[in-house]
């Protein structure tokens, strides 16, 4: 498992590292161009390059690529001297940095290509060290201080001194701007003054002047480098008693400083080496999820049109039987249908993301909560490579977070209670993910005390949710914990106790057409199992008729279909049920939910579609089953979208628009009524 996780981290690092190397190259070439411009190299460009190399050093070290981290570290030292003005960015330094960048790219490429020999960065590190020790750079030159007072200069930081020297070498004027502010507003007004200066030059530093009486306010000396004549600018400066004085800055730049462009300064590497360095480190491209959503919508329209053409094909077959033209049409239709299916499958795979991304975030949260509650927890993860649609991954983050908070806060006992119960001092929390057909099963299991069903029963009685004269099965009692505001916790904490956690879990999972199942064993722990479809974009559905209406039922929610004799339908607590093997299955008539009068065509029997899984299953009574079809679910909008048990609408091949049932929501509605009314 550790190897798989390391491989995933390394793969993610390679994608990020390639982007960093591209940033390094862009910054280097920007600096080379700016060096020859009138304004010179921008400090922001050097900072961008420094930050990129600093990030690469850190992330390479985290994934164990020490040689990459070491070379990045030495480049960082070189760039630190450059940004402090202790090195001159000349052609030789440009060559050295570009060759080091090329070596980083080659090292990363070899790490991502098994079988290729690793590259020793030591010779390059030695060249950088030699350059760092070269005292002939500008670090040995006398600073150009102009007429600036030594008292002011000695307050400059090393970086401010460099910025002063750099602007003087560019021939910019150095101004001292003295501004008085009121004590109560000086902080805000100073910021406004600095913002006013920025369009005209660079603020090197701003220094408060002491010695003024409180009534006189506070004065700041602002040292500014500018090519403008600041005192003559028509600007209404923020502040009072504003005075300017030019304290330095003479044209000192010579032709040799700005020398001509050297277009042939990229030498040093052989042709073979260059041919390797232009290759990408990975074959991965990062794509904005909204662009994939747009592509998926187009594929959805193609799937819809495919159904329309297939319907036309069937009509042609009925009218023209096996004519040559009809047969050719069917062959072409079959070919294009196959290609659309391949396109759909590949695009769905592109959107797939490992569940491990969420698990990693949850583990960090477990560590934090366990420290806060002083409950040591061992986290066991399996199946982190299981994939879900990217949108589903983000949507299940909050429900999983609530389940884990509940597991640690309410499920796991304290260290003393666990030892007294013969358990290990540390609790155990299992996070598992497995793919089962077109669904993914995610489990959160703890080895704590389990759910106190008697406490649940008492709380349900107290809230008038349960009938004290009625007996409830463990499954019925567990359904109470998903009701809004239901909590057996005696105290409200920062983590739980307000009764909103499991209610949110049930609603959010139902929105994803998923279901939650709970198993609990007193004294041994609880397991929450979440079943989710892999994707909600394009799904296969069972098309059924109920009275005059047609509905689509997502196929991943259907377990079986039955024809049941009406005499086998029993009534328990005023609800229709049938006995399905060893389970009593509640039946649901949609006309009851939507208050419609739908005719039931069959007189002696009924068609039942069994939906749901495990303990949460119901039987939907339908009149007829038309068949299976791929559908694209469309939203009903803000008004119709609130219909209970309806996930949206879809269009059939005959261009008829029908409603898509939200099975998870239907089951939650039925079980909620059952829990409340018994």
């Amino acid at each position: 498992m550790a190897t798989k996780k390391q491989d995933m981290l390394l793969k993610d690092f390679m994608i990020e590292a390639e982007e960093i190397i591209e940033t390094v190259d862009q910054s280097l070439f920007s600096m080379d161009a700016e060096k020859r411009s009138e304004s010179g190299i921008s400090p922001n460009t050097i900072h961008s390059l420094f930050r990129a190399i600093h990030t690469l050093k850190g992330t390479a070290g985290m994934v164990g690529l020490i040689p990459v981290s070491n070379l990045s570290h030495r480049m960082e030292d070189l760039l630190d001297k450059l940004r402090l003005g202790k090195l001159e960015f000349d052609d030789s330094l440009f060559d050295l940095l570009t060759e080091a960048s090329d070596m980083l790219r080659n090292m990363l490429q070899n790490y991502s290509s098994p079988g290729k020999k690793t590259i020793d960065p030591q010779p390059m590190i030695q060249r950088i060290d030699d350059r760092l020790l070269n005292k002939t750079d500008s670090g040995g030159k006398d600073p150009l201080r102009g007429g600036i007072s030594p008292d002011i200069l000695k307050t400059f930081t090393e970086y401010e001194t460099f910025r002063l020297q750099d602007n003087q070498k560019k021939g910019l004027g150095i101004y001292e701007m003295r501004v008085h502010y009121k004590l109560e507003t000086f902080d805000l007004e100073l910021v406004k003054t600095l913002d006013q200066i920025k369009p005209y030059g660079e603020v090197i530093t701003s220094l408060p002047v002491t010695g003024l009486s409180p009534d006189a306010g506070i004065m700041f000396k602002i040292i500014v480098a500018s090519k403008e004549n600041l005192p003559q600018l028509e600007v209404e400066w923020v502040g009072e008693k504003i005075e300017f004085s030019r304290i330095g800055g003479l044209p000192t730049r010579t032709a040799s400083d700005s020398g001509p462009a050297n277009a042939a300064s990229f030498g040093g590497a052989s042709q073979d080496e260059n041919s390797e360095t232009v290759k990408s480190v990975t074959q991965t491209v990062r794509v904005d999820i909204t662009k994939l959503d747009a592509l998926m919508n187009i594929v959805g329209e193609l799937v819809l049109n495919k159904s329309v053409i297939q319907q036309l094909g069937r009509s042609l077959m009925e009218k023209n039987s096996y004519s040559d033209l009809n047969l050719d049409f069917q062959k072409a239709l079959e070919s294009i249908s196959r290609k659309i299916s391949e396109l759909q499958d590949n695009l769905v795979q592109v959107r797939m993301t490992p569940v491990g991304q969420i698990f990693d975030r949850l583990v960090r949260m477990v560590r934090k909560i366990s420290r806060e509650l002083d409950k040591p927890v061992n986290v066991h993860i399996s199946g982190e490579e299981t994939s879900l649609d990217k949108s589903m991954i983000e949507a299940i983050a909050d429900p999983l977070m609530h389940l884990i908070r509940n597991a640690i806060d309410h499920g796991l006992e304290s260290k003393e209670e666990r030892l007294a119960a013969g358990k290990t001092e540390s609790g155990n929390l299992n996070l598992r993910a497995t793919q089962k057909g077109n669904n993914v099963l995610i489990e959160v299991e703890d080895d704590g005390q389990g759910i106190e069903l008697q406490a649940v029963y008492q709380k349900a009685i107290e809230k008038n949710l349960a009938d004290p004269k009625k007996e409830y099965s463990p499954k019925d009692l567990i359904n109470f914990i998903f009701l809004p505001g239901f909590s057996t916790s005696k105290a409200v904490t920062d983590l739980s106790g307000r009764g909103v956690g499991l209610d949110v879990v049930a609603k959010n999972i139902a929105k994803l057409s998923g279901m939650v199942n709970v198993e609990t064993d007193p004294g041994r722990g609880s397991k929450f199992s979440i079943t989710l479809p892999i994707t909600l974009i394009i799904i296969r559905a069972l098309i059924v008729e109920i009275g005059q209406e047609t509905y689509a039922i997502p196929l991943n929610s259907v377990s079986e279909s039955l024809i049941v004799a009406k005499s086998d339908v029993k009534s328990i607590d005023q609800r229709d049920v049938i006995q399905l093997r060893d389970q009593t299955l509640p039946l649901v008539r949609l006309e009851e939910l939507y208050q419609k009068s739908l005719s039931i065509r069959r007189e002696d029997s009924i068609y039942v579609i069994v939906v749901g899984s495990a303990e949460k299953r119901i039987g939907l009574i339908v009149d007829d089953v038309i068949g299976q079809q791929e559908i694209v679910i469309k939203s009903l909008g803000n008004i119709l979208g609130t219909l209970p048990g309806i996930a949206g609408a879809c269009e059939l091949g005959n261009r008829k628009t029908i409603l898509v049932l939200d099975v998870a929501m239907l089951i939650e509605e039925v079980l909620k009524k059952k829990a409340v009314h018994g």
Side-chain angles (χ1 to χ4, degrees):
M1 186 178 72
T3 303
K4 286 182 180 177
K5 188 168 184 177
Q6 183 67 17
D7 289 345
M8 290 171 63
L9 285 174
L10 189 60
K11 188 175 180 181
D12 289 342
F13 164 75
M14 287 298 178
I15 297 170
E16 184 181 4
E18 183 166 27
E19 293 180 353
I20 291 175
I21 296 293
E22 288 176 2
T23 300
V24 169
D25 290 344
Q26 289 169 3
S27 297
L28 283 172
F29 285 105
S30 294
M31 288 168 62
D32 190 50
E34 290 171 357
K35 180 184 68 176
R36 296 187 292 275
S37 68
E38 184 180 351
S39 57
I41 298 173
S42 165
N44 291 335
T45 310
I46 301 177
H47 281 313
S48 174
L49 178 56
F50 181 84
R51 283 195 301 270
I53 289 297
H54 178 76
T55 302
L56 184 62
K57 180 191 74 172
T59 52
M62 286 178 60
V63 297
L65 299 186
I66 302 304
V68 174
S69 180
N70 289 342
L71 177 54
S72 302
H73 189 183
R74 303 311 288 152
M75 291 175 70
E76 186 184 32
D77 291 341
L78 199 62
L79 292 169
D80 190 40
K81 278 202 167 188
L82 181 64
R83 69 176 184 155
L84 291 175
K86 296 180 178 178
L87 281 178
E88 194 78 29
F89 186 73
D90 54 18
D91 290 342
S92 64
L93 185 56
F94 173 81
D95 290 344
L96 182 60
L97 287 170
T98 50
E99 287 178 41
S101 175
D102 290 345
M103 178 171 280
L104 283 174
R105 188 190 300 277
N106 286 337
M107 292 171 74
L108 294 170
Q109 192 176 52
N110 286 9
Y111 279 121
S112 61
S113 305
K116 283 200 171 186
K117 66 178 182 179
T118 57
I119 297 174
D120 181 9
Q122 195 53 43
M124 180 62 71
I125 290 176
Q126 186 59 53
R127 288 177 61 189
I128 294 175
D129 285 344
D130 291 343
R131 185 58 188 261
L132 286 169
L133 295 173
N134 184 358
K135 296 183 179 178
T136 61
D137 284 306
S138 60
K141 296 179 181 178
D142 292 331
L144 302 175
R145 294 178 176 175
I148 300 176
S149 164
D151 291 339
I152 294 178
L153 284 174
K154 69 182 181 183
T155 64
F156 279 19
T157 64
E158 190 175 16
Y159 180 70
E160 289 167 348
T161 302
F162 164 64
R163 293 309 311 148
L164 172 68
Q165 296 168 2
D166 189 50
N167 282 297
Q168 283 181 313
K169 283 192 291 183
K170 294 174 184 173
L172 301 184
I174 308 299
Y175 294 90
E176 180 182 281
M177 184 177 179
R178 295 178 294 279
V179 189
H180 289 256
Y181 300 104
K182 295 177 181 175
L183 273 177
E184 56 272 22
T185 57
F186 80 92
D187 49 348
L188 297 176
E189 291 181 337
L190 174 62
V191 171
K192 291 178 180 177
T193 305
L194 298 179
D195 287 339
Q196 285 181 306
I197 295 171
K198 286 178 183 175
Y200 306 106
E202 179 182 348
V203 176
I204 296 173
T205 188
S206 57
L207 303 166
V209 177
T210 57
L212 298 179
S213 67
D215 293 338
I218 186 170
M219 185 180 83
F220 273 81
K221 287 184 179 179
I222 305 171
I223 308 300
V224 183
S226 175
K227 62 182 179 182
E228 305 290 342
N229 190 339
L230 286 184
Q232 295 183 3
L233 288 177
E234 294 182 356
V235 176
E236 292 186 7
W237 301 102
V238 174
E240 301 173 355
K241 301 179 184 177
I242 298 167
E243 301 173 34
F244 285 96
S245 60
R246 182 161 180 158
I247 58 175
L250 296 172
T252 58
R253 200 172 187 183
T254 64
S256 59
D257 291 331
S258 59
N262 185 359
S265 62
F266 304 105
S270 69
Q271 183 61 38
D272 289 343
E273 289 171 338
N274 278 336
S275 65
E276 287 185 358
T277 57
V278 298
K279 294 180 181 176
S280 296
V281 175
T282 69
Q283 296 299 314
T284 305
V285 176
R286 288 192 180 186
V287 179
D288 191 320
I289 189 66
T290 57
K291 294 181 179 177
L292 291 181
D293 287 342
L295 279 176
M296 206 64 193
N297 284 333
I298 293 172
V299 172
E301 295 299 324
L302 284 174
V303 170
L304 182 61
N305 286 321
K306 181 184 74 174
S307 300
V308 173
I309 297 173
Q310 285 174 331
Q311 180 66 35
L312 292 174
R314 284 191 287 272
S315 299
L316 283 174
M317 287 293 289
E318 292 171 0
K319 291 181 179 178
N320 301 321
S321 188
Y322 294 98
S323 68
D324 290 342
L325 181 61
N326 203 355
L327 289 174
D328 289 341
F329 176 81
Q330 294 299 330
K331 287 179 183 176
L333 176 59
E334 185 180 342
S335 175
I336 198 168
S337 298
R338 190 165 52 248
K339 292 300 178 188
I340 290 175
S341 296
E342 290 175 6
L343 176 61
Q344 175 187 336
D345 291 342
N346 281 291
L347 195 50
V348 167
Q349 288 303 316
V350 168
R351 297 174 58 91
M352 293 292 114
T353 303
V355 177
Q357 286 189 3
I358 289 291
F359 283 179
D360 289 342
R361 287 184 241 165
L362 294 173
V363 168
R364 289 196 291 274
M365 188 188 74
V366 170
R367 303 294 181 222
K368 180 173 180 291
I369 296 175
S370 67
R371 282 197 300 273
E372 291 174 356
L373 299 178
D374 193 25
K375 290 182 177 179
V377 180
N378 296 320
V379 183
H380 310 278
I381 292 178
S382 63
E384 65 269 36
E385 69 280 1
T386 306
S387 295
L388 263 178
D389 190 282
K390 174 68 176 174
S391 58
M392 303 277 283
I393 289 281
E394 296 304 321
I396 62 171
D398 283 346
L400 287 175
M401 182 181 68
H402 283 301
L403 291 181
I404 287 176
R405 280 180 176 172
N406 274 324
I408 301 176
D409 199 14
H410 299 307
L412 295 177
E413 310 93 333
S414 66
K415 290 185 286 187
E416 295 77 14
E417 290 170 336
R418 290 184 64 84
L419 291 173
K423 297 181 178 179
T424 57
E425 185 178 81
S426 299
N428 290 287
L429 187 67
N430 289 282
L431 296 176
R432 306 188 195 93
T434 50
Q435 183 172 346
K436 293 193 171 183
N438 289 324
N439 293 322
V440 165
L441 177 66
I442 298 176
E443 295 175 328
V444 179
E445 183 178 21
D446 66 75
D447 68 344
Q449 57 194 340
I451 298 173
E452 295 182 46
L453 295 179
Q454 184 60 29
V456 173
Y457 175 70
Q458 291 298 335
K459 181 61 71 174
I461 296 289
E462 184 183 314
K463 286 180 166 286
N464 293 323
L465 297 173
D467 183 353
K469 298 177 182 177
K470 181 178 172 59
E471 288 189 7
Y472 291 87
S473 67
K475 184 179 67 175
D476 293 335
L477 290 174
I478 287 173
N479 287 331
F480 281 116
I481 67 177
F482 290 102
L483 295 178
F486 192 93
S487 173
T488 59
S489 179
K490 295 175 182 173
V492 175
T493 69
D494 291 340
L495 295 174
S496 57
R498 293 180 173 83
V500 296
L502 291 179
D503 176 39
V504 171
V505 170
K507 286 182 178 175
N508 288 0
I509 296 300
K511 285 179 184 174
L512 300 172
S513 295
M515 283 172 281
V516 185
N517 189 55
V518 184
E519 299 172 44
T520 186
D521 191 351
R524 302 185 65 179
S526 303
K527 181 169 73 175
F528 287 75
S529 304
I530 299 173
T531 304
L532 295 163
I534 290 178
T535 182
L536 293 176
I537 306 298
I538 300 174
I539 61 173
R540 289 195 69 78
L542 191 67
I543 311 300
V544 301
E545 282 187 348
I546 305 174
Q548 302 299 317
E549 306 287 342
T550 304
Y551 295 90
I553 305 174
L555 206 57
N556 55 21
S557 302
V558 177
S559 56
E560 58 185 306
S561 59
L562 312 164
I563 295 178
V564 179
K566 284 190 173 180
S567 58
D568 290 335
V569 177
K570 309 298 181 187
S571 180
I572 299 179
D573 292 332
Q574 300 180 342
R575 296 198 64 86
D576 288 343
V577 299
I578 59 171
Q579 193 65 29
L580 180 62
R581 293 181 284 278
D582 59 347
Q583 181 185 3
T584 301
L585 187 73
L587 300 180
V588 175
R589 299 176 184 273
L590 286 184
E591 59 264 46
E592 292 178 0
L593 289 176
Y594 303 129
Q595 299 180 344
K596 284 187 173 183
S597 297
L598 302 177
S599 62
I600 303 299
R601 295 174 186 171
R602 294 175 183 271
E603 296 181 353
D604 300 326
S605 60
I606 56 174
Y607 229 137
V608 176
I609 308 298
V610 182
V611 297
S613 63
E615 298 293 329
K616 291 190 174 181
R617 296 203 298 175
I618 61 174
L620 290 177
I621 299 175
V622 304
D623 287 336
D624 203 359
V625 176
I626 298 175
Q628 297 180 18
Q629 184 174 328
E630 285 182 325
I631 61 169
V632 180
I633 303 178
K634 300 290 185 183
S635 170
L636 290 175
N638 294 331
I639 299 177
L640 296 177
T642 57
L643 283 175
I646 298 297
C650 68
E651 196 170 334
L652 299 180
N654 57 8
R655 297 190 180 280
K656 180 180 181 180
T657 300
I658 64 172
L659 295 175
V660 182
L661 297 183
D662 186 335
V663 172
M665 192 68 78
L666 278 177
I667 294 176
E668 292 297 332
E669 285 290 321
V670 171
L671 294 180
K672 193 183 297 180
K673 288 181 180 178
K674 188 165 181 262
V676 173
H677 302 296

